[in-house]
Amino acid sequence: MMPALNSINSTRLQHRIQTLAEIGRKPDGGIYRMALSPADLEARAWLGNEITTAGLELHTDLAANISARWRSDLPSTVMSGSHLDSVPGAGHLDGALGVLTALECVQRIKELDLPLKHGLEAIAFTDEEGRFGGMLGSQALTGQLSPGVVLSARALDGETLVEAMAKAGFDAQQMPLAERDPLTLHAFVEMHIEQGPVLDSINCPIGIVQAITGLFKWEVTLEGESNHAGTTPMEMRRDAFQGVVDFAGQLQRILDEYGTRNSRATIGKLQLFPGAANVVPGKAVFTLEVRDTDPAILAQLADAYQRSLFAVARQHDLVKHVAVLSELPPAPCSEQVVATIRQQAGAMGLAHHTMPSGAAHDCQMLTQVTQAGMIFVPSKGGKSHSPHEWTAFKDIEAGANLLLNTLISLAS
Ligand SMILES: [Zn+2]
């Protein structure tokens, strides 16, 4: 017999979403709740108060992650959550939705007083969005935050992580000590807005994430020779920009040949030197960022782009140099968690779509230490990191109910 399906308290969730959306909001409509800023500290204090008022155990760890715990007497926990911090000018759902739905689910499970094998924990991770580097709280909790990173982290406004943590009442040097014993983590599920247009375009309320994409980011320099734009004949030029153009023309072909439906390639920044209308550009510097969910595919794409750069450099008599700015491996979600989410969605009669996450999330850190997965809800028009970020409440409610039944299934 299928166990009975449970539901969240929608009014309570909606009220919390609206209340949190006002913390850090500026007249332009955007939310400015950057990690450990005054607005973030206000949101953290508000969340702590919501947790204790709900009769849940408030727990703050050495990385300043804030949790609501239920049945912490049990040896391991099913965790759910996301982040309260935002980018400058953000919308009201990125991160916040995952924290507030997790809190609502844990509170609801307490009210339902269900028999449990595992405890529950709703968590808000510190600095997901990167004021000090990004995903610091989830890195610390999963043992992936190095003391060196902690000591050198500094915001664009000049404040160091050490200073910001001290203002919040923490010792930054102790952040790596927030590491949990993986045996105490039974599973992790993060609910998040999709931040892309796929679910909205197919009119589907639920996305089940199969993997979070990895990426590599290069800074490519092509060097030729700067020269007079009038006196240098076309065939005698070493024009770095012509090399960029030829390479950019290969971006899609290489994806078609070596990539998958999940592959993405982007040249997001380009500078030409010396940068004058009447000078042949002797140097071009540009970024190449490539993403996929499969490490083997990413490696093939890296190879193919290197070969293509080699070919255009030879063709235009340029010298190429590739600096690797970052490499992040793809993070596959747990098949068991994916199956549990899918099963619960089926039992609830919810249409769902299995998809990759093109954006990075705290969940990818958790995939390293426990069985982890994600539930997406649609972003209207695919908009995020903007005040126009919006999801219909009926979709939020469906996602939250799916999260509730998923957490119950994992904890029972
Ligand atoms: Zn987020």
Short mmCIF file of all heavy atoms in Angstrom, two decimals, residues 82-83 85 93-96 128-129 190 192-193 195 360-362 385, ligand 1:
data_model
loop_
_atom_site.label_atom_id
_atom_site.label_comp_id
_atom_site.label_asym_id
_atom_site.label_seq_id
_atom_site.Cartn_x
_atom_site.Cartn_y
_atom_site.Cartn_z
N SER A 82 19.68 25.43 1.27
CA SER A 82 20.32 26.20 0.20
C SER A 82 20.98 27.40 0.86
O SER A 82 21.57 27.24 1.93
CB SER A 82 19.26 26.57 -0.85
OG SER A 82 19.84 26.99 -2.05
N HIS A 83 20.82 28.59 0.32
CA HIS A 83 21.54 29.74 0.88
C HIS A 83 20.64 30.97 1.01
O HIS A 83 19.70 31.14 0.23
CB HIS A 83 22.75 30.08 0.01
CG HIS A 83 22.38 30.34 -1.44
ND1 HIS A 83 22.20 31.59 -1.95
CD2 HIS A 83 22.13 29.49 -2.47
CE1 HIS A 83 21.86 31.51 -3.23
NE2 HIS A 83 21.81 30.25 -3.58
N ASP A 85 22.22 34.13 1.21
CA ASP A 85 22.94 35.26 0.60
C ASP A 85 22.56 35.38 -0.87
O ASP A 85 22.05 34.44 -1.48
CB ASP A 85 24.46 35.08 0.77
CG ASP A 85 25.03 33.93 -0.06
OD1 ASP A 85 24.49 32.82 0.04
OD2 ASP A 85 26.00 34.16 -0.81
N LEU A 93 14.08 34.60 -4.88
CA LEU A 93 13.91 33.15 -4.75
C LEU A 93 15.21 32.34 -4.79
O LEU A 93 15.28 31.26 -4.19
CB LEU A 93 12.97 32.63 -5.85
CG LEU A 93 11.53 33.13 -5.75
CD1 LEU A 93 10.75 32.72 -6.99
CD2 LEU A 93 10.85 32.60 -4.50
N ASP A 94 16.21 32.84 -5.48
CA ASP A 94 17.48 32.12 -5.60
C ASP A 94 18.04 31.87 -4.20
O ASP A 94 18.38 32.81 -3.50
CB ASP A 94 18.45 32.95 -6.45
CG ASP A 94 19.81 32.28 -6.64
OD1 ASP A 94 20.05 31.22 -6.02
OD2 ASP A 94 20.62 32.83 -7.40
N GLY A 95 18.14 30.60 -3.81
CA GLY A 95 18.66 30.25 -2.50
C GLY A 95 17.60 30.30 -1.42
O GLY A 95 17.35 29.30 -0.73
N ALA A 96 16.95 31.46 -1.29
CA ALA A 96 15.94 31.65 -0.25
C ALA A 96 14.86 30.57 -0.32
O ALA A 96 14.42 30.03 0.70
CB ALA A 96 15.30 33.04 -0.39
N GLU A 128 27.13 31.24 -0.58
CA GLU A 128 27.04 30.42 -1.79
C GLU A 128 27.40 31.26 -3.01
O GLU A 128 28.06 30.80 -3.93
CB GLU A 128 25.63 29.85 -1.95
CG GLU A 128 25.53 28.75 -3.00
CD GLU A 128 25.25 29.24 -4.41
OE1 GLU A 128 24.91 30.43 -4.60
OE2 GLU A 128 25.37 28.45 -5.35
N GLU A 129 26.96 32.53 -3.00
CA GLU A 129 27.03 33.34 -4.22
C GLU A 129 28.42 33.91 -4.50
O GLU A 129 28.67 34.44 -5.57
CB GLU A 129 26.00 34.48 -4.17
CG GLU A 129 24.55 33.99 -4.24
CD GLU A 129 24.15 33.50 -5.65
OE1 GLU A 129 25.01 33.37 -6.53
OE2 GLU A 129 22.94 33.26 -5.83
N GLU A 190 18.27 19.46 -2.30
CA GLU A 190 18.16 20.92 -2.41
C GLU A 190 17.07 21.27 -3.40
O GLU A 190 17.07 20.79 -4.52
CB GLU A 190 19.51 21.52 -2.87
CG GLU A 190 19.46 23.04 -3.04
CD GLU A 190 20.85 23.69 -3.28
OE1 GLU A 190 21.85 22.94 -3.35
OE2 GLU A 190 20.90 24.92 -3.37
N HIS A 192 15.50 24.34 -5.63
CA HIS A 192 16.03 25.60 -6.16
C HIS A 192 15.20 25.98 -7.38
O HIS A 192 14.62 25.11 -8.03
CB HIS A 192 17.50 25.40 -6.55
CG HIS A 192 18.32 26.66 -6.53
ND1 HIS A 192 18.26 27.60 -7.51
CD2 HIS A 192 19.20 27.13 -5.61
CE1 HIS A 192 19.08 28.60 -7.21
NE2 HIS A 192 19.67 28.35 -6.04
N ILE A 193 15.17 27.28 -7.68
CA ILE A 193 14.58 27.67 -8.96
C ILE A 193 15.54 27.25 -10.07
O ILE A 193 16.75 27.19 -9.86
CB ILE A 193 14.31 29.20 -9.03
CG1 ILE A 193 15.57 29.99 -8.66
CG2 ILE A 193 13.13 29.56 -8.14
CD1 ILE A 193 15.48 31.46 -8.98
N GLN A 195 16.49 28.76 -12.79
CA GLN A 195 17.35 29.87 -13.27
C GLN A 195 17.62 29.79 -14.76
O GLN A 195 18.54 30.43 -15.27
CB GLN A 195 18.69 29.92 -12.52
CG GLN A 195 18.54 30.06 -11.02
CD GLN A 195 19.88 30.15 -10.31
OE1 GLN A 195 20.52 29.15 -10.04
NE2 GLN A 195 20.31 31.36 -9.98
N ALA A 360 25.90 26.23 -10.86
CA ALA A 360 26.51 25.59 -9.70
C ALA A 360 25.60 25.76 -8.48
O ALA A 360 24.89 26.75 -8.36
CB ALA A 360 27.88 26.21 -9.43
N HIS A 361 25.61 24.77 -7.59
CA HIS A 361 24.80 24.83 -6.37
C HIS A 361 25.54 24.15 -5.21
O HIS A 361 26.39 23.29 -5.44
CB HIS A 361 23.45 24.13 -6.57
CG HIS A 361 22.60 24.77 -7.61
ND1 HIS A 361 22.01 26.00 -7.41
CD2 HIS A 361 22.27 24.40 -8.86
CE1 HIS A 361 21.33 26.33 -8.50
NE2 HIS A 361 21.47 25.38 -9.40
N ASP A 362 25.14 24.50 -3.96
CA ASP A 362 25.73 23.85 -2.79
C ASP A 362 25.64 22.34 -2.91
O ASP A 362 26.51 21.61 -2.42
CB ASP A 362 24.99 24.30 -1.51
CG ASP A 362 25.30 25.74 -1.14
OD1 ASP A 362 26.50 26.07 -1.03
OD2 ASP A 362 24.36 26.54 -0.98
N HIS A 385 19.01 36.04 -11.00
CA HIS A 385 19.99 37.09 -10.65
C HIS A 385 19.46 38.44 -11.14
O HIS A 385 20.20 39.26 -11.68
CB HIS A 385 21.37 36.78 -11.24
CG HIS A 385 22.08 35.67 -10.50
ND1 HIS A 385 23.36 35.29 -10.75
CD2 HIS A 385 21.67 34.89 -9.48
CE1 HIS A 385 23.72 34.30 -9.93
NE2 HIS A 385 22.68 34.04 -9.15
ZN ZN B 1 21.32 29.67 -5.61
#
